[in-house]
Amino acid sequence: MLEQQLVNALTLGSVYALFSLGFTLVFGVLEVINLSHGAMFMAGSFAALTVVTRLKAPLAVGILAAMLVSGLLGLAIDALILKRLRARHAPHLIPMIATIGATTVLTSAAQGLFGVEVQRFPDELLPTREFIFGSVHVRALELAIVGIAFLLMTALFLVLRHTRQGRALRAIAESPKAAALLGINVEGLFLATSFTAAALGGVAGLLIGLNFNSVTPLMGQPILHKGIAVVILGGMGDIRGALFGGLFLGFAEVLSKAYLSSQMGDAVAFGLLFLILLVRPAGLFGRVLERKA
Amino acid sequence: MEAFADFWATYSTLIFTVGIHALLALSLWLTLSCGLLSLANAAFMGIGAYTAALLTLHLHWPFPMVLAAGALAPAAVALVIGAPTLRLSGVYLAMATLAFGEVTRILVLNLDITGGPEGLNGIPLLTTWWHIVLILAAAGYALARLRRSRMGRAFEAIREDEVAARMMGIDVEGHKLAAFTLGAVLAGLAGALNAHSTFFISPREYGFENAVDILTMTILGGISSLIGPVLGATILTLLPELLRFLHAYRLAVNGLILIGVVLFLPTGLWDSRRLRHLLRAWRARREGQP
């Protein structure tokens, strides 16, 4: 029983981590709390669903569609809204409020286009194999979810660590002004970050949509709140923190649902978040920084 | 007279909602006037609504006492969570209040006394139009006096520059807690009035979306004066009725408005300074052409 719960927790936790990685990346580089990240999650799920059901494309194409559609939406939000606010040096809360507006628009558009009912992926498309290790049943789907999530996260780490663009991004995260003086194309990398973060969010949406086989226009809202919890747990803008925070939240949620109370599982995430904020605002793994206003 | 009766029968709920939303927007205006972005006001409204509804349904308290309890219960909660939370600033405070709102919603969803996801049904319709007008007028008057008082000036100083305010000897923590708690009082009142005018309340009405709605109203109207939030609340309550033909896309308009205001009207629709400027320019032009 416990082993089975651990498999569920790992699946959920790795998707939380993937989702939160994009969220924290945008905060680290652009210093924006991007509350439209949940809408990217939802859009990715719908993009894949549409490609798979209407065009009868294989699931792999669905993943690409999720990345592309969500990425382009993230790019559009950055180019049309956030860029102007940066040019004006608007205070931090203003871009956050603008992304709330973008979320409302996208959610409402999805409700108009796809309706409010739960949509499902056709069963024949989902891998049905099950692997049995002792008493534990692992669905091939779960393995694929964990695999894809970790593959994408590793790719992101490698890019940030070892490429020229990655180094430039880390320089921007330290100080955009100094980076611009060094000849780094700051605006271009802001756009690239928005695209990448949104694309990761879109894939996360597809993975959750597949795992529970349910896609709805409102699915971005609960995950956004969990993403916030993860990013606070791990420290805002901290890439490693998002990974550990995501896994931690996955385990905390699944285990408290299994052993404490099935309804209160969600309250655990926010109770934790609330506590962490009060005790360690820089996150569990974060350096103790001066609070950012 | 009959025409009026018809009009009232059709639109009284809508007019009640405008008043209650105006009260909510003013409650957020108060917290924002001290520089605090709180996403907890929807939860405070919910606490007020549930407290009031439970007192009416189970203990049959008289309505004025119910309203008072509906205002004081969230204020007590605000005092307790405010003391540790308000050490955070900016986005961190917004996130903490968001988390508080979610915890509250999940608790209400799972407790027995609150009726769980079905909510509370059969709340007597005790709110009349003059209750709302009276409370809104009293709140407006109190806030207008507050703005010009020592406390209001301190709020403004803290919003503009916290460090400078502290250097001037202002008790920053105390004033922040006061703004947060008074905001909770107004939000709780709005909740209590709302519970007794809609017959039915459920946890769905007090979640993140509602916190965002309150924020949108206040930002749309602008926070440079008290007229702004009331104007924003009125527009955003009436707009969906006018946009019925858009069906599911209706809410997209709210989002577009929010983005548009943030991009093009950073001070909101009602900016007294801009209006004075426009008025002066208009007068000058009229005097220029005899």
Side-chain angles (χ1 to χ4, degrees), chain A residues 88 100 108 263 273 278 291, chain B residues 87 99 110 212 248 252 262-263:
Chain A
R88 205 169 76 201
I100 293 178
S108 172
Q263 281 94 39
L273 181 154
L278 299 186
R291 288 194 307 256
Chain B
R87 290 183 305 150
N110 291 299
V212 167
V262 164
L263 284 181

Side-chain angles (χ1 to χ4, degrees), chain B residues 154-169:
Chain B
F155 286 173
E156 208 177 321
I158 295 170
R159 186 184 68 205
E160 292 300 325
D161 189 333
E162 204 178 307
V163 178
R166 202 185 296 275
M167 300 291 275
M168 308 261 288

Side-chain angles (χ1 to χ4, degrees), chain B residues 61-79:
Chain B
W61 280 22
F63 193 48
M65 280 176 69
V66 165
L67 283 183
L72 291 178
V77 177
L79 271 179

Side-chain angles (χ1 to χ4, degrees), chain A residues 2 13 15 31 42-44 53 56 65 77 104 120 129-131 136 138 158 204 222 227 242 250 258 277 282:
Chain A
L2 175 66
V15 181
E31 290 199 17
M42 177 272 295
T53 53
K56 309 278 179 235
I77 289 175
T104 316
R120 298 186 190 288
R129 279 190 63 186
E130 265 196 356
F131 302 96
V136 187
V138 183
L158 291 177
L277 268 175

Side-chain angles (χ1 to χ4, degrees), chain A residues 143-166:
Chain A
L143 274 184
I145 289 173
V146 175
I148 291 172
F150 274 90
L151 190 74
L152 288 173
M153 289 191 280
T154 317
L156 182 71
F157 283 128
L158 291 177
V159 168
L160 284 178
R161 209 69 251 158
H162 296 296
T163 66
R164 205 182 153 75
Q165 284 75 16

Side-chain angles (χ1 to χ4, degrees), chain B residues 96-235:
Chain B
T97 50
L98 188 156
F100 164 73
E102 278 300 293
V103 172
T104 311
R105 189 181 64 84
I106 294 167
L107 279 179
V108 170
L109 202 58
N110 291 299
L111 288 178
D112 286 331
I113 188 165
T114 54
E118 279 93 56
L120 295 174
N121 232 320
I123 305 162
L125 301 173
L126 297 175
T127 306
T128 60
W129 64 271
W130 63 266
H131 287 130
I132 294 180
V133 171
L134 194 70
I135 289 179
L136 195 57
Y141 177 71
L143 289 178
R145 289 297 299 266
L146 180 88
R147 275 187 87 186
R148 305 268 171 252
S149 74
R150 204 183 164 79
M151 193 186 232
R153 305 278 190 216
F155 286 173
E156 208 177 321
I158 295 170
R159 186 184 68 205
E160 292 300 325
D161 189 333
E162 204 178 307
V163 178
R166 202 185 296 275
M167 300 291 275
M168 308 261 288
I170 294 173
D171 172 11
V172 173
E173 282 73 26
H175 279 94
K176 279 185 171 178
L177 193 58
F180 193 60
T181 310
L182 290 175
V185 167
L186 287 183
L189 262 179
L193 287 171
N194 187 42
H196 292 86
S197 70
T198 55
F199 190 71
F200 158 77
I201 54 176
S202 81
R204 225 169 304 129
E205 294 157 51
Y206 310 108
F208 177 69
E209 289 78 17
N210 309 84
V212 167
D213 285 344
I214 302 174
L215 181 67
T216 314
M217 290 170 196
T218 318
I219 299 281
L220 168 67
I223 60 165
S224 65
S225 77
L226 290 169
I227 298 170
V230 175
L231 181 70
T234 312
I235 293 177

Side-chain angles (χ1 to χ4, degrees), chain B residues 207-281:
Chain B
F208 177 69
E209 289 78 17
N210 309 84
V212 167
D213 285 344
I214 302 174
L215 181 67
T216 314
M217 290 170 196
T218 318
I219 299 281
L220 168 67
I223 60 165
S224 65
S225 77
L226 290 169
I227 298 170
V230 175
L231 181 70
T234 312
I235 293 177
L236 283 185
T237 314
L238 298 182
L239 202 60
E241 299 300 317
L242 300 175
L243 296 175
R244 275 188 183 283
F245 65 94
L246 287 176
H247 304 292
Y249 294 101
R250 213 153 45 143
L251 277 175
V253 176
N254 275 18
L256 287 175
I257 289 178
L258 192 57
I259 297 173
V261 168
V262 164
L263 284 181
F264 305 113
L265 284 174
T267 48
L269 283 179
W270 189 278
D271 178 349
S272 16
R273 200 182 299 167
R274 186 173 59 224
L275 288 175
R276 263 201 302 277
H277 191 77
L278 283 176
L279 193 68
R280 208 174 302 143

